[in-house]
Amino acid sequence: MLMYPHIDPVALQVGPLAIHWYGLTYLAAFALFMLLGTLRLRHPPYASLAWTRKDVEDILFLGVLGVVLGGRLGYCLFYKPGYYAEHPLEIFAIWQGGMSFHGGLLGVIGAMLWFAHSRGRPWLEVADFVAPCVPTGLAAGRIGNFINGELWGRLASPDLPWGMVFPQSGSMLARHPSQIYQFLLEGLLLFALLWLYARRPRKRGEVAGAFLAGYGVLRFVAEYFREPDSFLGLLGLGLSMGQWLCVPMVLAGSALWLYAQRQAR
């Protein structure tokens, strides 16, 4: 068994100013998006559609707003609707924690709709552009989760070589380092597959559909190793909230991919 290394969440302290590792992982995510978005401008069909670096910057700005607003509202609605209905002002207390990927995804979709409408571009063209640039940001976020010692995994066999003890979990038993699993699956693996898939000409909507279905499947698998939220536990059919939220993602992504195929024919 390995012991969680107790990483100080504060990367740098200058007087009263504290720079947290988690904040730095967000900055890394934004920088990676800019880098990949700039490279994406060379991929078909964007090289011939007059897309520019300014478009990438604008999408990033709107996407950050979508992530923050959607992620927070999604957490309040999906995970603790009763609590926040009784304490509505705490919805704005983002510093207390509580963000939802699926809510952030809806926020980003709203941001892309706004961008597409304001630029007179097809929405699926924008979605296909953004999709391959997202997984590296998700990977950075999972590193932040690991540094914070949060979202640890379920109990693992003591014989598992990489089983890790997270004292903050309230037990000294070996657990799966699920943050690392998600970093590898939803982050690196999804990025590699999606980036290679998107480099060749694809029908409009194919890349976005592949992202939705791919993330949904990989997150669904990773959730089997992640400890469910203590205030929710496992829900129907023994699935976590994260898994249930992935089901419509997989269905929507598959439907979008098939729609793109049918439109092409």
Side-chain angles (χ1 to χ4, degrees), residues 74-259:
Y75 179 82
C76 298
L77 292 174
F78 298 151
Y79 289 86
K80 292 184 175 181
Y83 176 84
Y84 287 104
E86 296 178 0
H87 307 84
L89 293 180
E90 292 193 26
I91 294 176
F92 304 100
I94 299 178
W95 58 89
Q96 295 180 1
M99 297 285 282
S100 163
F101 164 80
H102 297 89
L105 174 65
L106 293 176
V108 169
I109 290 174
M112 289 189 297
L113 286 168
W114 175 269
F115 176 85
H117 175 73
S118 65
R119 301 299 172 88
R121 299 184 185 276
W123 178 74
L124 287 178
E125 179 184 301
V126 179
D128 285 341
F129 179 88
V130 170
C133 307
V134 172
T136 52
L138 302 179
R142 294 310 177 192
I143 292 297
N145 294 145
F146 182 79
I147 291 174
N148 282 353
E150 60 191 8
L151 307 183
W152 51 78
R154 303 187 193 189
L155 294 177
S157 168
D159 299 327
L160 187 69
W162 57 85
M164 184 170 288
V165 175
F166 290 87
Q168 55 269 55
S169 69
S171 74
M172 298 299 291
L173 301 175
R175 294 179 177 273
H176 290 281
S178 57
Q179 312 97 321
I180 304 302
Y181 295 177
Q182 293 186 264
F183 163 78
L184 294 172
L185 291 175
E186 307 158 15
L188 298 190
L189 178 59
L190 182 61
F191 166 71
L193 295 176
L194 207 59
W195 190 259
L196 292 174
Y197 184 72
R199 284 179 64 88
R200 295 188 176 183
R202 301 293 176 185
K203 307 301 183 295
R204 187 176 292 166
E206 278 191 67
V207 178
F211 168 79
L212 290 174
Y215 177 89
V217 169
L218 294 174
R219 172 71 180 270
F220 191 93
V221 172
E223 283 281 332
Y224 278 116
F225 301 96
R226 175 175 162 177
E227 183 73 13
D229 297 286
S230 58
F231 55 88
L232 287 178
L234 294 176
L235 306 178
L237 302 179
L239 302 179
S240 67
M241 175 61 81
Q243 287 174 310
W244 275 116
L245 292 174
C246 283
V247 172
M249 278 191 71
V250 175
L251 295 177
S254 300
L256 178 56
W257 193 88
L258 292 174
Y259 168 80

